[in-house]
């Protein structure tokens, strides 16, 4: 009413879920109370501290003299929350990511302000947590851009705008193609090809990924059936999956019957899952995974080593393959630690009877290092970029006919 400057903070605790999972909900609850008390102690009597739910808090700072005052308070909260908590006999370390937005300069409505603060908080998370993120005009533009893209995404499947590209997976022992990864592409009528890095997160947030992922699997399976004839008994096409698909598993559970109708044995298809799926797996997810695998489908962990480093799931779930994340492969030449980690992942994978695939192989040196370390397969621009199905088919024919190098990555 007074049109004075107001600051809104959106506070999200980093790694609260891990604390909750490892120490139990009662400790988690007690910790939230302690967090609330510390936040309260950082603000004035006239400010408002609220818990929105879960590990999310907001602070309303009315009648600010200037924006710097809000930043100062946010920084103070970060510092206080980073100090060790002592809760029910446990010493717990936490940190927080905070987003800041201002009324009236950033938004004039409550909804708008909350959205801004939430986005600013995500900026803080992306930049490495334990910090403050700000709402800026660029963020706003990105938000509007996202909104338009989501609208277009809703119609994209029915309009037939998705394509699958295939990237060869090559056996390091024989240098022959032993599989492919199917990668989604969105042919947008105005923007051209949109990268999955841009639209998959949107499809996940909106739940659209459930149907899109189903389309990708079925399309990939049809191509796999066409190619297995040329490619031999161990050829497998892998398809990425998102955790949301496992939360609404009806479509996934229909895959085995679909493969049967195609006459394609399940082992020619691999479902790539994320580490976070296994970490968060409830009974239902575990059962879905077990049923898919029992039907003969293979299961691979994608981007292995970058999620939460919880190895316990490796003996709780039956799996077939590990894909070493590109970040390790990229640093092989320069970082001894990347070499040590890759070698260890390979040894560990083999001890667990898993196939080990390295992603993002770009140089002959990386290929040779991985090969010497005993890695089974490699995938990357050294061999080929992801290509449309007809180009993949040409690669498959030439590589299987004439052993040796594939044509180097083109496109
Ligand atoms: P991902 O599953 O880890 O796929 C590997 C990504 O690395 C692909 O990016 C691929 O083009 C890229 N890549 C391959 N070789 C190299 C290399 O040598 N160097 C470098 N720098 N990059 C390489 P892309 O196609 O943009 O896909 C990005 C991500 O999008 C995928 O990561 C995956 O998480 C997701 N995605 C793609 N298709 C689907 C899908 O059908 N469903 C779901 N849920 N996610 C998908
Ligand atoms: Mg993948
Ligand atoms: Mg990957």
């Amino acid at each position: 009413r007074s049109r004075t400057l107001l600051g809104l903070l959106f506070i999200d605790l980093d790694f609260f879920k891990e604390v909750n999972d490892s120490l139990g909900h009662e400790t988690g609850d007690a910790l939230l109370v302690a967090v609330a008390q510390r936040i309260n102690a950082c603000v004035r009597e006239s400010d408002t501290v609220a818990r929105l739910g879960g590990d999310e808090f907001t602070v309303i700072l009315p009648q600010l003299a200037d924006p710097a005052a809000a930043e100062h308070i946010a920084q103070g909260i970060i510092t206080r929350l980073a100090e060790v908590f002592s809760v029910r006999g446990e010493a717990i370390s936490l940190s927080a990511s905070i987003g800041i937005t201002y009324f009236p300069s950033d938004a004039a409505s409550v909804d708008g302000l909350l959205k801004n603060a939430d986005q600013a908080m995500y900026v803080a998370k992306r930049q490495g947590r334990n910090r403050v993120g700000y709402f800026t005009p660029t963020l706003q533009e990105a938000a509007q851009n996202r909104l338009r893209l989501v609208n277009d995404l809703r119609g994209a499947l029915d309009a037939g705008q998705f394509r699958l590209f295939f990237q060869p997976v090559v056996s390091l022992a024989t240098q022959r193609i032993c599989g492919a990864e199917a990668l989604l592409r969105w042919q947008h009528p105005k923007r051209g090809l949109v990268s999955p890095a841009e639209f998959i997160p949107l499809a996940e947030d909106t739940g659209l990924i459930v149907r899109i992922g189903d389309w990708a699997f079925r399309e990939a399976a049809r191509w796999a059936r066409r190619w297995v004839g040329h490619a031999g008994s161990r050829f497998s096409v892998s398809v990425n999956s998102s955790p949301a698909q496992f939360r609404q598993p009806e479509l996934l559970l229909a895959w085995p019957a679909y493969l049967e109708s195609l006459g394609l044995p399940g082992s020619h298809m691999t479902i790539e899952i994320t580490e976070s799926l296994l970490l968060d797996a409830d009974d239902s997810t575990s059962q879905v995974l077990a049923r898919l695998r029992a039907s003969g489908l293979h299961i691979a962990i994608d981007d292995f080593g970058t999620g939460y480093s919880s190895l316990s799931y490796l003996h709780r779930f039956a799996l077939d393959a590990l894909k070493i994340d590109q970040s390790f492969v990229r640093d092989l030449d320069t970082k001894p630690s990347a070499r040590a980690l890759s070698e260890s992942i390979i040894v560990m994978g083999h001890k667990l009877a898993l196939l080990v695939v390295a992603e993002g192989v770009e140089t002959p040196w990386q290929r040779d290092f991985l090969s010497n370390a005993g890695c089974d397969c490699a995938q990357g621009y050294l061999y080929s970029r992801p290509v449309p199905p007809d180009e993949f088919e040409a690669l498959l024919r030439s590589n299987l006919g004439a052993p040796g190098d594939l044509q180097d990555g083109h496109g």
Side-chain angles (χ1 to χ4, degrees):
R1 206 179 304 132
S2 60
R3 306 299 291 178
T4 52
L5 183 66
L6 174 149
L8 178 69
L9 309 188
F10 200 110
I11 308 173
D12 188 280
L13 303 181
D14 305 321
F15 310 115
F16 176 74
K17 188 180 175 323
E18 284 76 354
V19 172
N20 215 22
D21 288 349
S22 55
L23 298 179
H25 291 242
E26 284 183 24
T27 305
D29 287 349
L31 180 62
L32 287 174
V33 172
V35 165
Q37 284 162 350
R38 283 197 191 173
I39 296 175
N40 240 330
C42 294
V43 303
R44 295 167 306 188
E45 198 62 33
S46 53
D47 299 331
T48 303
V49 176
R51 175 168 169 248
L52 284 188
D55 58 353
E56 294 175 344
F57 294 84
T58 56
V59 174
I60 307 170
L61 306 166
Q63 302 194 331
L64 280 176
D66 65 308
E71 290 170 26
H72 184 73
I73 291 169
Q75 211 51 61
I77 293 174
I78 297 237
T79 310
R80 272 298 276 148
L81 294 184
E83 290 165 20
V84 176
F85 286 85
S86 162
V87 174
R88 294 164 57 96
E90 305 275 356
I92 304 171
S93 296
L94 269 187
S95 61
S97 300
I98 303 185
I100 303 188
T101 190
Y102 300 98
F103 168 92
S105 47
D106 293 337
S109 71
V110 172
D111 266 2
L113 279 173
L114 275 171
K115 262 192 211 125
N116 290 356
D118 187 42
Q119 277 166 16
M121 188 276 292
Y122 268 102
V123 173
K125 288 257 187 223
R126 268 206 306 275
Q127 288 174 346
R129 302 185 164 97
N130 192 28
R131 67 193 66 218
V132 181
Y134 300 94
F135 184 79
T136 62
T138 346
L139 258 187
Q140 178 145 36
E141 215 171 281
Q144 281 165 356
N145 193 15
R146 235 184 346 259
L147 209 64
R148 278 194 289 268
L149 217 51
V150 165
N151 275 332
D152 296 347
L153 197 55
R154 291 188 197 285
L157 191 58
D158 292 332
Q161 291 167 358
F162 289 111
R163 310 268 177 278
L164 275 190
F165 275 31
F166 292 87
Q167 185 176 37
V169 177
V170 175
S171 156
L172 282 164
T174 65
Q175 294 298 308
R176 287 171 189 238
I177 297 176
C178 58
E181 176 170 6
L183 292 156
L184 262 176
R185 297 292 179 262
W186 178 16
Q187 185 68 52
H188 188 283
K190 291 206 195 79
R191 295 169 191 242
L193 269 192
V194 184
S195 142
E198 200 172 343
F199 73 82
I200 296 281
L202 300 181
E204 288 178 336
D205 289 350
T206 51
L208 291 168
I209 193 67
V210 175
R211 276 187 66 220
I212 298 174
D214 184 59
W215 176 85
F217 181 86
R218 288 166 183 255
E219 176 78 5
R222 286 191 290 273
W223 286 107
R225 181 183 56 171
R226 179 180 160 100
W227 293 328
V228 281
H230 312 291
S233 59
R234 311 208 27 201
F235 183 81
S236 197
V237 171
S238 66
V239 182
N240 293 284
S241 68
S242 296
Q245 294 172 263
F246 286 82
R247 286 192 292 270
Q248 277 166 260
E250 295 76 23
L251 294 176
L252 254 75
L253 287 170
W255 290 352
Y258 181 69
L259 295 184
E260 216 166 278
S261 75
L262 289 180
L264 183 71
S267 63
H268 291 301
M269 296 297 293
T270 299
I271 304 173
E272 294 191 9
I273 59 174
T274 60
E275 288 184 284
S276 63
L277 179 79
L278 296 183
L279 199 76
D280 298 339
D282 51 18
D283 284 349
S284 152
T285 300
S286 311
Q287 277 167 23
V288 173
L289 269 172
R291 275 172 66 181
L292 290 175
R293 193 162 183 276
S295 81
L297 279 158
H298 285 184
I299 310 283
I301 303 185
D302 202 359
D303 306 334
F304 183 77
T306 54
Y308 310 85
S309 327
S310 164
L311 295 178
S312 65
Y313 62 68
L314 286 176
H315 67 88
R316 276 198 291 130
F317 296 95
L319 304 163
D320 302 278
L322 290 185
K323 299 190 80 168
I324 305 178
D325 189 63
Q326 323 195 345
S327 58
F328 298 111
V329 175
R330 189 186 316 124
D331 292 339
L332 278 179
D333 332 28
T334 51
K335 290 198 185 142
S337 56
R339 294 197 282 276
L341 282 167
S342 301
E343 286 174 327
S344 310
I345 293 173
I346 293 165
V347 171
M348 183 185 70
H350 286 165
K351 293 243 177 202
L352 293 165
L354 301 174
L355 188 85
V356 183
V357 182
E359 285 191 289
V361 177
E362 295 184 351
T363 68
W365 192 90
Q366 291 166 344
R367 172 195 63 201
D368 295 342
F369 177 88
L370 290 160
S371 178
N372 287 332
C375 189
D376 302 292
C377 303
Q379 174 185 346
Y381 296 169
L382 173 68
Y383 300 102
S384 168
R385 298 203 171 229
V387 291
D390 53 332
E391 280 182 50
F392 176 77
E393 193 166 310
L395 285 173
L396 190 61
R397 286 176 194 277
S398 63
N399 175 247
L400 295 165
D405 282 346
L406 296 175
Q407 286 116 16
D408 268 15
H410 48 85

